[in-house]
Amino acid sequence: MSDTRRRVKVYTLNEERQWEDRGTGHVCCSEAASLTVTGEADGSVLLESRISPDTAYQKQQDTLIVWSEAENCDLALSFQEKAGCDEIWEKICQVQGKDPSVEITQDPVDESEEERFEDTPESGHLLELPPCEPERLEELAELVTSVLPSPVRREKLALALLSSGYIRKLLQLFRASEEADDRRGLQQLYQIVRGLLFLNKATLFEVMFSDDCIMDVVGCLEYEPALLQPKSHREFLTKTARFREVIPITDSELRQKIHQTYRVQYIQDIILPTQSVFEDNFLSTLSSFIFFNKVEIVSMLQEDEKFLTEVFAQLTDEATEDSKRRELVNFFKEFCAFSQTLQPQNRDAFFKTLANLGILPALEIGMEDVQVKAAATDIFSYLVEFSPSMVREFVMQEPQQADDDVLLINVVIKQMICDSDPELGGAVQLMGLLRTLIDPENMLAPASKTEKSEFLSFFYKYCMHVLTAPLLANTAEEDPDNFQTAQLLALILELLTFCVEHHSYHIKSYIMTRDLLRRVLTLMNSRHSFLALCALRFMRRIIGLKDEYYNRYIVKGNLFEPVINALLDNGTRYNLLNSAIIELFEFIRVEDIKSLIAHIVDNFTTALESIEYVQTFKGLKGRYEQEKERQSRGFSRSDLLTRSDYFGPSVYIQFRHCWYLISVFT
């Protein structure tokens, strides 16, 4: 048996029943009857799998071979060429002694003794199907339902349906029943077609989702028996959901694949019930069908350099009409979404292609249009995920040629601020995007120190005022009434808290020059408890740094006052706000932050005397009095620690013991 090499991608099915790309390489079927895939990048072995006589291999969509090696170990090879898939398939069938014209080599093994006994006598025969006639539909529906629990019987039914061309006959009967308005027959056809999808067979999907069948399949699924009136799925797919070609697609195979993928995705997401109602893997093959279609679409588009060049030419042309620009930007948004199905290596190559073609400067054009802005922001998020450094480098060049308001990063910030409902996740997603951009952990290139310094200086000079504008606008007077505004302020405070932890110099300067902490602490009076907690958390992070510059700023501005007022206003209620405030003061006591302790005791002892359910405030007063006593004696224990450097260890030990004796007896 001679070695045969073909270019393939290796996939495994993870615990969430999603296909994961393990790499690209070349497959060969060796003399030892095993499949070996060698990685094209580094020559490593991506897969080594012995062809077992009992393993059920399936050939799907002309370029896929799928099989299971053990429990919870599903594998797939996706071939670049159909010829390669056919050749390896013939080798597998040769090893197992099977007919290569059949697209599955084994019946799935069923562990049920009762079922094994039932199926063994007729294991070599197909299931007998009733004639495809209106009066026999009920019988067929019962047959389809009865085989679903059995993998063996599902396989036999699938083979019977394929061998007799039964599916197309069934769909012809659907058209006749619809013309005759045979509601009972149409409802039975719904049960049958839904059952055929749950057979979970790729060979059936290839027929059902073909151009001449898929709309009739959708039609059958409109007549759910529980509904008084049928759904209008076909009307939506043919009239409402229109396919727009931003640039004419000349490849008919690609156009057909796009149409098919959209319609099958619609069947899975809209028509069929939620998968969790059924077994975890009931529709796993349908998910795989969609996944591999998307991989193929992205690959075909990416390889068409002429197509991408024409799209970019129109996108960067300022004379392009607004409606056309919306279509172009939305196309790239979908293109980027589809690219998530690619393996990391290929996905990186895809985004490098977009970057080289000028995707970032192209996004700046037409930002005054709401739809363009929203789609461009989504594309921007994909690019940040791909390469934060590339995005940072681009945005730092913008001030040379643009006003602050139209900087791409500021457009993203404003998009977050204008999100109609932060709870829906748009603002949260954009906040995460900004956090990625300003996170020093993502600045790990060889020139990371320069990148960090330059970008953070840029961000605080050109962008921070845009981010904090809603916060400053809503803390000038009273508590914001609007719940959505409160949510937005909470997100902004979360990002500012992150800055306190990771941007020591820049954020410190920004807070002090704008007296930002004072404005934030006005939110301690908010009727929205989550917002008050966010404000307190911001202050807690600042105090947690134990930075005397911050401490002096807090003392000078008397910034504990709103916190203590919030504690007293909370009364005897034992809630999260109460616990968080107590923890703040307990931290100050435990860490013995002297400047803050002195300020709290000097200014708030009377107000805090009534709080006796914790010992925190008595402890603060005790720390304060100890420090005053030490100062009154002219030296503190820290002085002795310093003097040990001069007197030597042995003298220090005696001196230290003497100091304790003085403390006890004086």
Side-chain angles (χ1 to χ4, degrees):
M1 189 182 295
S2 60
D3 285 357
T4 304
R5 289 183 172 273
R6 286 289 182 268
R7 191 167 186 265
V8 297
K9 290 182 181 178
V10 180
Y11 292 91
T12 59
L13 198 65
N14 62 24
E15 294 179 354
E16 288 76 34
R17 310 300 295 174
Q18 299 293 323
W19 287 104
E20 291 184 352
D21 196 332
R22 294 302 185 186
T24 301
H26 293 83
V27 62
C28 70
C29 185
S30 68
E31 294 284 352
S34 65
L35 296 173
T36 303
V37 179
T38 305
E40 67 179 4
D42 55 7
S44 61
V45 177
L46 300 178
L47 175 69
E48 190 168 9
S49 174
R50 180 177 173 274
I51 302 175
S52 170
D54 299 325
T55 299
Y57 293 86
Q58 292 186 53
K59 183 182 174 189
Q60 302 177 6
Q61 302 182 50
D62 292 333
T63 57
L64 283 174
I65 297 177
V66 182
W67 74 98
S68 298
E69 287 206 335
E71 186 177 358
N72 298 325
C73 183
D74 294 329
L75 298 166
L77 294 180
S78 176
F79 288 77
Q80 181 174 321
E81 302 175 7
K82 179 180 182 298
C85 183
D86 291 341
E87 192 163 353
I88 294 298
W89 180 251
E90 289 179 6
K91 298 293 185 183
I92 293 171
C93 292
Q94 183 179 343
V95 172
Q96 291 195 334
K98 300 294 181 180
D99 182 1
S101 63
V102 178
E103 295 187 337
I104 183 168
T105 63
Q106 302 284 340
D107 283 344
V109 177
D110 194 311
E111 295 300 327
S112 167
E113 293 294 334
E114 180 180 352
E115 186 175 272
R116 186 180 302 154
F117 175 79
E118 174 187 341
D119 289 332
T120 299
E122 55 179 12
S123 59
H125 304 285
L126 299 176
L127 287 180
E128 184 176 348
L129 299 173
C132 191
E133 299 171 354
E135 57 272 14
R136 305 295 293 273
L137 287 176
E138 184 175 357
E139 181 181 348
L140 178 61
E142 292 175 355
L143 174 62
V144 172
T145 303
S146 69
V147 305
L148 291 179
S150 165
V152 173
R153 290 174 63 80
R154 288 204 306 268
E155 183 62 36
K156 289 182 177 180
L157 177 57
L159 291 174
L161 291 166
L162 291 170
S163 63
S164 60
Y166 201 90
I167 292 176
R168 283 185 167 82
K169 296 176 185 176
L170 202 61
L171 296 177
Q172 289 175 0
L173 183 56
F174 161 73
R175 291 192 290 271
S177 299
E178 196 168 40
E179 289 178 5
D181 196 23
D182 179 5
R183 183 57 62 91
R184 178 172 173 78
L186 291 168
Q187 292 176 346
Q188 290 170 338
L189 282 163
Y190 167 88
Q191 299 285 4
I192 293 167
V193 170
R194 194 183 79 129
L196 296 186
L197 291 173
F198 290 149
L199 290 179
N200 206 25
K201 299 299 175 186
T203 49
L204 293 183
F205 292 162
E206 290 176 15
V207 176
M208 298 173 71
F209 301 150
S210 61
D211 281 349
D212 59 328
C213 293
I214 189 167
M215 295 309 292
D216 287 332
V217 169
V218 172
C220 291
L221 295 172
E222 292 178 350
Y223 291 92
E224 186 177 352
L227 301 176
L228 295 176
Q229 295 295 328
K231 295 282 189 178
S232 303
H233 298 305
R234 284 172 294 175
E235 181 180 353
F236 175 83
L237 289 173
T238 56
K239 296 180 180 179
T240 305
R242 292 184 176 272
F243 175 61
R244 295 187 177 93
E245 298 183 42
V246 292
I247 299 293
I249 297 176
T250 56
D251 189 335
S252 59
E253 181 184 355
L254 173 59
R255 189 187 301 107
Q256 185 273 336
K257 188 71 68 175
I258 293 171
H259 283 301
Q260 183 189 62
T261 304
Y262 178 80
R263 290 165 180 170
V264 177
Q265 187 86 62
Y266 182 88
I267 290 173
Q268 183 187 52
D269 294 344
I270 305 300
I271 299 179
L272 293 179
T274 305
Q275 288 191 38
S276 59
V277 178
F278 305 91
E279 297 177 16
D280 290 341
N281 62 346
F282 226 152
L283 294 171
S284 60
T285 304
L286 182 62
S287 299
S288 300
F289 187 96
I290 296 169
F291 173 83
F292 288 115
N293 264 18
K294 289 182 176 180
V295 171
E296 192 170 349
I297 289 170
V298 174
S299 299
M300 293 171 76
L301 284 171
Q302 189 177 352
E303 292 167 4
D304 192 340
E305 295 182 3
K306 182 180 178 182
F307 176 83
L308 286 179
T309 302
E310 290 182 7
V311 172
F312 267 97
Q314 291 200 26
L315 187 61
T316 55
D317 186 353
E318 295 189 4
T320 300
E321 294 181 0
D322 291 345
S323 58
K324 184 67 172 180
R325 188 176 305 282
R326 290 188 205 106
E327 293 178 0
L328 291 165
V329 176
N330 279 309
F331 163 77
F332 274 112
K333 174 186 171 182
E334 293 299 318
F335 200 9
C336 290
F338 270 35
S339 73
Q340 302 307 296
T341 61
L342 298 174
Q343 69 177 45
Q345 178 183 348
N346 290 351
R347 187 165 60 246
D348 289 352
F350 164 76
F351 281 111
K352 285 179 182 176
T353 299
L354 294 188
N356 292 336
L357 288 169
I359 185 64
L360 280 168
L363 293 180
E364 293 182 301
I365 304 174
M367 278 294 201
E368 60 276 2
D369 184 276
V370 175
Q371 293 184 34
V372 170
K373 185 188 298 183
T377 301
D378 287 339
I379 297 170
F380 187 75
S381 67
Y382 286 118
L383 294 170
V384 170
E385 183 180 349
F386 160 64
S387 176
S389 293
M390 178 189 75
V391 175
R392 283 191 285 263
E393 182 180 355
F394 172 78
V395 298
M396 282 192 292
Q397 297 170 356
E398 289 186 287
Q400 304 171 10
Q401 56 195 16
D403 296 329
D404 290 1
D405 289 342
V406 296
L407 292 178
L408 186 56
I409 190 170
N410 284 344
V411 171
V412 173
I413 294 173
K414 290 179 180 179
Q415 182 73 12
M416 176 196 72
I417 292 170
C418 295
D419 191 290
S420 60
D421 188 354
E423 195 172 25
L424 295 178
V428 176
Q429 179 186 2
L430 294 175
M431 186 63 73
L433 167 67
L434 291 173
R435 180 168 172 161
T436 300
L437 275 178
I438 64 176
D439 187 353
E441 294 296 321
N442 290 322
M443 304 178 190
L444 300 178
S448 58
K449 290 185 178 179
T450 302
E451 179 186 14
K452 176 180 176 181
S453 175
E454 290 182 355
F455 182 75
L456 291 181
S457 296
F458 162 85
F459 182 80
Y460 280 85
K461 180 177 181 180
Y462 294 103
C463 307
M464 184 59 97
H465 67 282
V466 179
L467 177 65
T468 57
L471 182 65
L472 298 176
N474 287 279
T475 54
E477 297 178 359
E478 296 296 326
D479 172 39
D481 292 329
N482 187 288
F483 178 73
Q484 293 177 359
T485 300
Q487 285 184 307
L488 175 62
L489 297 184
L491 288 175
I492 294 173
L493 281 173
E494 182 180 339
L495 189 59
L496 292 175
T497 303
F498 174 84
C499 293
V500 167
E501 293 179 289
H502 296 87
H503 304 164
S504 56
Y505 167 73
H506 293 88
I507 189 65
K508 184 193 302 182
S509 174
Y510 193 88
I511 289 173
M512 292 184 178
T513 56
R514 289 161 179 79
D515 201 12
L516 188 62
L517 180 56
R518 181 185 305 279
R519 301 294 289 273
V520 169
L521 289 176
T522 63
L523 299 174
M524 291 298 299
N525 296 321
S526 176
R527 71 192 68 185
H528 307 289
S529 58
F530 68 89
L531 186 55
L533 286 167
C534 286
L536 183 64
R537 190 181 302 117
F538 180 67
M539 185 179 192
R540 173 66 175 81
R541 290 293 184 275
I542 291 174
I543 291 175
L545 296 176
K546 296 187 286 187
D547 184 322
E548 278 304 310
Y549 286 100
Y550 274 130
N551 293 345
R552 285 195 291 271
Y553 163 67
I554 291 171
V555 169
K556 184 177 180 181
N558 194 29
L559 298 182
F560 277 110
E561 184 175 20
V563 178
I564 291 175
N565 287 342
L567 177 64
L568 298 175
D569 291 343
N570 192 64
T572 58
R573 284 172 291 182
Y574 183 67
N575 52 25
L576 191 56
L577 181 63
N578 175 276
S579 299
I581 294 175
I582 295 297
E583 190 278 334
L584 171 66
F585 288 107
E586 182 66 15
F587 174 82
I588 295 170
R589 184 193 69 80
V590 171
E591 297 297 324
D592 195 17
I593 305 177
K594 294 179 174 56
S595 58
L596 298 185
I597 291 174
H599 172 71
I600 293 166
V601 174
D602 284 341
N603 293 275
F604 302 105
T605 297
T606 303
L608 297 172
E609 280 179 344
S610 60
I611 300 178
E612 298 181 344
Y613 54 87
V614 291
Q615 299 301 307
T616 298
F617 300 107
K618 288 184 178 179
L620 286 171
K621 188 174 181 180
R623 290 273 195 186
Y624 174 77
E625 291 173 348
Q626 288 176 8
E627 182 62 23
K628 288 196 70 173
E629 183 178 353
R630 290 168 185 165
Q631 291 177 359
S632 68
R633 290 199 301 268
F635 61 90
S636 67
R637 185 179 181 185
S638 60
D639 295 326
L640 301 179
L641 293 173
T642 303
R643 294 174 191 178
S644 69
D645 294 338
Y646 297 95
F647 296 133
S650 58
V651 177
Y652 162 65
I653 293 172
Q654 295 175 359
F655 200 2
R656 186 181 66 170
H657 285 298
C658 182
W659 181 82
Y660 274 112
L661 289 172
I662 292 172
S663 296
V664 171
F665 293 108
T666 57

